[in-house]
Amino acid sequence: MRICFVAMCALTGVLAGVKPLSAQVQGQWTGAGSMQSPREVNAQVQVSGGNVLTIGGVDNSGNILASAEIYRTAKGTWTLTGSMQVAREMFPAVVLKNGKILVSGGLGTGSTVLGGAELFDPKTNAWTPAGSLSVARFGHTATLLPSGKVLLAGGCTASNCSTSTAASEIYDPATNSWSATGSLNIARSYHTAVRLNSGVVLAIGGFAGGASPSCELYYPSTGTWSNAASTNVARYLNGITLLPDGKVLVTGGVITKYPLNSAELYDPANNTWALTGSMATGRYAHSSTLLPDGTVLLAGGVGQSISCGKDCTGFIPTAKAEIYNEAAGTFAAATDLNRALAYQATTALTSGRALVNGGSGYNAYCCQVVSDAEFYTPLTMSFSASSLNFGFLEVGLTSGSQTVTVTNVSSHSATFTSIASSGDFAQGSTCPSTLEPAQNCTITVSFTPSAAGTRNGAVTLQDNDPGSPKQTIALSGVGETLALGFGPASLNLGSVLVGLSSTQSATLINDGASPVNITGIAIAPANRTFTQTNDCPATLNVQQTCAFQIVFTPPDVFTYKATLSITNSAGGLATLLLSGTGLDGLRLVR
């Protein structure tokens, strides 16, 4: 069944409320050759040696494929390998503990719902029968259990998916046979499933007469399913990723025709779902891939809106990609795919890259099944800090140094092409010309303000890795004309009822080159509308600070202004501007 994208009319408009991301674009996509055949809704797994096996699917002419091919990462080439005995699409593939690959069910030639299974042996490149399912199905899930057996659940039992099944069954590699196990509580298809760290399997959503929020847990020890907490949003054709901390990220999906941009996290410890940040692009039939740093790459899917006339909106594949950071609970922009794709196959490689191939493209032709493949290479360098603030410093002086550690988090060496600073900042580094995997170096930065006021700059680094765009460390500081200065430079103590008081604080800093003696502290006018206390020593050393507490007690209904002045041995008054307004309490009561 070739996937086509048709603009469908509705009374509602395009999905609204999505704002573009402004964060730095991450990573890079580079070509990875072309498969021997265009294919989509195929199955794909990583095999020994870091190679990738892609299996079956449907081509650009609607032919269901029995062929399989291997991407050899060392050579960067796709080569045909042994073909399945039965052509199939929309089926899962699982790598067994013995290294063989199990495929089961699927939709075959002539819209036949398949009940057979096969095994691929990477050592011989040959396929052999793997028994028959008790229920022919496609659009189902297959999950490797801790025992090495495989759990099959749900799926469509009619070629148009008008009916689904709740039946589950177990494949035993030791006997090359299938046996029944407990059934799902509801029949579902196009759902997702993941084995949790506990060994329990979580089945999520799917299509059950409509998009479903229901979830279930399968316990291998008892062979039974029990209801789990439901997702906040019903969805199917969504993305799913098991995170390093054991939580499960679900992204996007569809309810009717509108791609969802919402995402949520499942916490196995508490059996709860919680919404997290939303994607910039709503999408379904996309890929969701865990990267080595624990972030998740979301790429492609059906998510680009098109207009087909008045009150008519449809959706086609998108090239948009983004990165999810669990710690921040946010999505950040990643570089776009080289072409829009949906229903593509994606595999996380041992190198830390992600391989995307096939799927439905949308360039000059709608519904074009492609043979393209491309790599996503994550950012190579990580930084201990993305910004440095040098605070206040007298114009013409040079600050002490601050440092940032740069680490090569990739699995390959990277050569720096440039490291440079801008603005009133200077940098030096211990970085060699080539930084090896897991090696780190230090960038050292100092600040010499050339004028008063806020001064901004950056250290910019670039290396030769395709996954590292120009990266920056933001720099800031404030130049002052005097050795002593207040932060902030003024205080507004607000509106206060006559006879009552409000308090705010300010910090005095010596940003000069030598110690400064404080010779006097005064507020003018000296009418006790504003008073102060402080913890300042007689001498303020270089970069030393002390704190002032300012109290405002308005005697009447009026706006008051005053100046706190500090006389000192460095010359020039350090001043703090004060303001506040008195309110009539009786008038407020009325």
Side-chain angles (χ1 to χ4, degrees):
M1 182 172 67
R2 187 175 165 205
I3 305 296
C4 290
F5 306 95
V6 180
M8 297 177 287
C9 294
L11 296 178
T12 53
V14 181
L15 209 61
V18 176
K19 297 180 180 179
L21 293 175
S22 58
Q24 177 179 323
V25 173
Q26 302 183 58
Q28 185 70 34
W29 294 95
T30 53
S34 293
M35 296 183 291
Q36 299 293 320
S37 174
R39 60 182 81 222
E40 68 170 345
V41 289
N42 53 298
Q44 185 164 291
V45 293
Q46 184 167 255
V47 293
S48 59
N51 299 322
V52 175
L53 175 70
T54 191
I55 314 160
V58 60
D59 68 12
N60 205 40
S61 299
N63 299 311
I64 297 178
L65 304 172
S67 65
E69 44 190 304
I70 290 181
Y71 181 77
R72 302 193 184 280
T73 54
K75 297 181 179 180
T77 58
W78 292 90
T79 56
L80 289 169
T81 186
S83 293
M84 294 183 291
Q85 297 177 0
V86 177
R88 65 186 80 217
E89 62 166 327
M90 290 189 280
F91 62 97
V94 176
V95 180
L96 304 178
K97 289 187 174 182
N98 59 14
K100 294 182 179 180
I101 292 88
L102 172 72
V103 299
S104 58
L107 194 63
T109 303
S111 298
T112 303
V113 181
L114 302 175
E118 303 185 43
L119 280 176
F120 177 76
D121 188 342
K123 295 178 181 178
T124 62
N125 292 333
W127 292 88
T128 56
S132 296
L133 311 181
S134 62
V135 177
R137 64 184 86 198
F138 69 94
H140 55 291
T141 56
T143 309
L144 183 69
L145 300 177
S147 64
K149 297 178 180 181
V150 177
L151 169 70
L152 248 64
C156 305
T157 55
S159 60
N160 62 356
C161 205
S162 57
T163 57
S164 299
T165 182
S168 300
E169 45 193 307
I170 297 289
Y171 174 75
D172 186 348
T175 60
N176 194 32
S177 62
W178 295 87
S179 60
T181 188
S183 294
L184 290 157
N185 289 295
I186 65 168
R188 64 181 83 217
S189 54
Y190 296 115
H191 56 291
T192 48
V194 61
R195 190 181 88 192
L196 305 176
N197 290 342
S198 63
V200 174
V201 176
L202 172 68
I204 303 166
F207 190 85
S212 175
S214 76
C215 300
E216 305 186 39
L217 292 167
Y218 177 80
Y219 294 88
S221 59
T222 60
T224 58
W225 292 91
S226 64
N227 289 323
S230 294
T231 54
N232 291 282
V233 179
R235 61 184 87 219
Y236 67 101
L237 292 176
N238 53 275
I240 183 172
T241 303
L242 180 66
L243 301 176
D245 62 3
K247 293 183 180 180
V248 178
L249 173 70
V250 165
T251 53
V254 64
I255 296 177
T256 52
K257 70 162 186 171
Y258 291 100
L260 299 169
N261 70 343
S262 67
E264 43 192 306
L265 291 170
Y266 178 74
D267 183 353
N270 299 304
N271 185 32
T272 56
W273 288 95
L275 289 170
T276 185
S278 294
M279 295 182 290
T281 300
R283 62 184 84 218
Y284 65 87
H286 57 288
S287 60
S288 178
T289 310
L290 183 68
L291 299 176
D293 63 358
T295 60
V296 180
L297 170 68
L298 293 308
V302 179
Q304 180 182 348
S305 63
I306 58 173
S307 175
C308 52
K310 183 181 179 182
D311 298 329
C312 186
T313 301
F315 294 90
I316 56 176
T318 180
K320 295 297 182 183
E322 40 197 307
I323 299 290
Y324 176 73
N325 185 313
E326 183 187 4
T330 57
F331 291 84
T335 307
D336 288 356
L337 289 158
N338 290 316
R339 69 186 302 165
L341 288 175
Y343 296 96
Q344 72 271 23
T346 305
T347 302
L349 304 178
T350 53
S351 65
R353 297 186 292 180
L355 177 65
V356 170
N357 51 288
S360 287
Y362 188 85
N363 287 343
Y365 305 99
C366 184
C367 300
Q368 180 189 21
V369 180
V370 302
S371 59
D372 301 6
E374 49 188 306
F375 286 120
Y376 177 81
T377 304
L379 288 177
T380 302
M381 302 297 176
S382 72
F383 299 84
S384 60
S386 60
S387 63
L388 298 176
N389 188 322
F390 287 82
F392 296 88
L393 186 64
E394 188 175 356
V395 171
L397 298 180
T398 298
S399 71
S401 296
Q402 294 190 41
T403 60
V404 174
T405 300
V406 181
T407 305
N408 182 350
V409 295
S410 73
S411 58
H412 55 274
S413 61
T415 300
F416 288 106
T417 55
S418 67
I419 302 176
S421 60
S422 63
D424 293 349
F425 302 88
Q427 68 82 25
S429 80
T430 63
C431 297
S433 58
T434 299
L435 201 64
E436 300 298 333
Q439 186 179 2
N440 59 52
C441 61
T442 301
I443 307 291
T444 303
V445 185
S446 61
F447 173 46
T448 307
S450 60
T454 300
R455 315 298 292 170
N456 294 315
V459 174
T460 302
L461 302 92
Q462 193 163 11
D463 62 58
N464 67 335
D465 192 273
S468 294
K470 187 182 295 181
Q471 299 176 76
T472 58
I473 303 167
L475 308 174
S476 61
V478 178
E480 293 213 313
T481 56
L482 301 173
L484 292 187
F486 276 103
S490 63
L491 291 179
N492 185 333
L493 286 94
S495 297
V496 180
L497 293 176
V498 172
L500 299 182
S501 300
S502 69
T503 303
Q504 290 189 32
S505 61
T507 300
L508 182 69
I509 183 172
N510 176 5
D511 51 26
S514 58
V516 175
N517 297 326
I518 296 175
T519 56
I521 301 174
I523 295 179
N527 55 16
R528 299 200 60 78
T529 300
F530 295 93
T531 58
Q532 64 82 26
T533 57
N534 67 81
D535 60 4
C536 296
T539 299
L540 209 58
N541 292 317
V542 175
Q543 293 300 307
Q544 186 178 2
T545 63
C546 59
F548 280 77
Q549 299 295 319
I550 310 300
V551 179
F552 172 49
T553 308
D556 203 347
V557 180
F558 189 74
T559 296
Y560 296 89
K561 295 183 179 180
T563 301
L564 170 62
S565 300
I566 309 295
T567 55
N568 59 88
S569 61
L573 292 175
T575 59
L576 175 66
L577 302 179
L578 308 173
S579 63
T581 301
L583 295 179
D584 187 342
L586 293 177
R587 188 170 299 171
L588 288 178
V589 171
R590 296 191 193 102

